[in-house]
């Protein structure tokens, strides 16, 4: 398994745990359906088999996470000192966006080098 594959598998796990920790999903099944746009067993199957998510799955994760971040920004409590959980969730999801973006960029570079 190449470094980028290990990183992408771990990234998917990190994203699930971030979403779960911040009560944005309640299960692996809901993460698969609502966040990744896949069948309910997708995430658990990928983790059990230690498989790398496809570019499409990472792009979906990126798009959905950006959409959720936009809704956070629209919340009138966002950024207020008393909205600790909201602000913390935003920071964690923002980190996921950065990590997924980097992985997608690395994937493009690798694909171009392999051509």
């Amino acid at each position: 398994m190449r470094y980028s594959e290990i990183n992408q598998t771990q990234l998917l796990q990190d994203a699930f745990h971030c979403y779960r920790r911040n009560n944005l999903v309640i299960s692996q099944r809901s993460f698969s359906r609502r966040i990744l746009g896949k069948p309910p067993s997708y995430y658990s199957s990928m983790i059990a088999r230690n498989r790398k998510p496809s570019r499409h799955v990472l792009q979906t994760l990126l798009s959905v996470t950006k959409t959720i971040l936009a809704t956070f920004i629209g919340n009138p409590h966002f950024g207020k000192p008393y909205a600790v959980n909201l602000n913390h969730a935003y920071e964690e999801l923002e980190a996921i966006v950065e990590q997924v973006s980097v992985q997608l960029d690395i994937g493009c570079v690798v694909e171009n080098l392999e051509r």
Side-chain angles (χ1 to χ4, degrees), residues 74-86:
N75 186 317
H77 304 286
F78 177 71
K80 305 288 188 214
Y82 59 79
V84 175
N85 291 342
L86 176 66

Side-chain angles (χ1 to χ4, degrees), residues 1 7-8 23 28 37 42 49-50 58 65 67-68 70 84 99-100 104-106 110-112:
M1 194 179 286
N7 235 4
Q8 289 177 5
N23 297 314
Q28 292 179 354
Y42 176 82
R49 294 180 179 140
N50 199 28
L58 291 178
T65 304
T67 300
I68 291 170
V84 175
Q99 292 170 7
V100 172
L104 288 170
D105 289 346
I106 289 171
V110 168
E111 286 175 10
N112 288 334

Side-chain angles (χ1 to χ4, degrees), residues 18 22 69 71-95:
C18 174
N22 289 291
L69 287 174
T71 65
F72 282 16
I73 291 171
N75 186 317
H77 304 286
F78 177 71
K80 305 288 188 214
Y82 59 79
V84 175
N85 291 342
L86 176 66
N87 298 332
H88 181 74
Y90 181 88
E91 290 171 5
E92 285 193 47
L93 290 175
E94 195 172 44

Side-chain angles (χ1 to χ4, degrees), residues 9-60:
T9 303
Q10 184 62 49
L11 176 57
L12 195 60
Q13 290 177 335
D14 291 347
F16 167 71
H17 292 295
C18 174
Y19 271 86
R20 179 70 184 101
R21 186 172 45 254
N22 289 291
N23 297 314
L24 297 168
V25 296
I26 59 171
S27 66
Q28 292 179 354
R29 295 173 62 82
S30 64
F31 180 71
S32 293
R33 282 192 327 267
R34 293 180 55 227
I35 309 303
L36 303 179
K38 290 293 190 181
S41 62
Y42 176 82
Y43 174 76
S44 60
S45 179
M46 292 294 285
I47 298 308
R49 294 180 179 140
N50 199 28
R51 298 205 44 206
K52 168 184 150 180
S54 69
R55 172 178 297 286
H56 177 68
V57 167
L58 291 178
Q59 289 170 333
T60 301

